[in-house]
Amino acid sequence: MAQQPDHRLRDDLAVEEAKPRLKRPPLYKVFLLNDDFTPMEFVVDILKIFFGMDEERATQVMLHVHTKGIGVCGVYSRDIAETKVRQVNDFSRQHQHPLLCDMEEA
């Protein structure tokens, strides 16, 4: 005959669920580096196509890149940032421009 488990031992225990400590994944800044060859209009197009900026915002970012040498296009999760960097660099090379897009942890 099988023995029944003794449930009295469990009645005295208080079980508290542990709250998971989830940490948000790090974010990455995607930025453009200025060069002396890529036309300003092409940079504006990049910002509109790949970063969803309107004409005015894209022009502001392009001018910042032009005058400061670098400008942030957006902040994303790692996978999205890597994809945007690859897309922009591939698109620039396909159009024979040396424009460089890169990323770093925010």
Side-chain angles (χ1 to χ4, degrees):
M1 182 151 115
Q3 191 173 15
Q4 295 289 330
D6 190 353
H7 292 290
R8 287 178 293 155
L9 295 175
R10 283 199 210 153
D11 292 341
D12 293 344
L13 297 176
V15 177
E16 186 175 318
E17 276 190 46
K19 293 182 180 157
R21 294 183 187 186
L22 299 178
K23 191 169 87 171
R24 291 186 152 243
L27 295 176
Y28 292 81
K29 292 187 285 189
V30 175
F31 54 89
L32 292 177
L33 296 166
N34 188 47
D35 64 72
D36 294 330
F37 304 101
T38 304
M40 292 179 180
E41 299 80 24
F42 184 79
V43 176
V44 169
D45 288 343
I46 289 280
L47 293 166
K48 289 166 52 179
I49 293 167
F50 296 101
F51 298 97
M53 295 183 190
D54 62 23
E55 185 82 23
E56 183 179 343
R57 180 70 183 135
T59 300
Q60 290 172 348
V61 172
M62 176 275 298
L63 288 172
H64 183 84
V65 171
H66 181 69
T67 58
K68 304 289 185 188
I70 190 170
V72 175
C73 307
V75 179
Y76 307 95
S77 66
R78 182 183 186 119
D79 290 344
I80 293 173
E82 287 174 342
T83 299
K84 289 194 178 286
V85 167
R86 187 175 60 254
Q87 288 174 331
V88 169
N89 289 334
D90 289 349
F91 188 79
S92 295
R93 299 308 161 266
Q94 289 169 2
H95 290 85
Q96 288 81 44
H97 295 298
L99 181 67
L100 181 62
C101 184
D102 206 352
M103 62 187 259
E104 68 180 20
E105 193 166 341

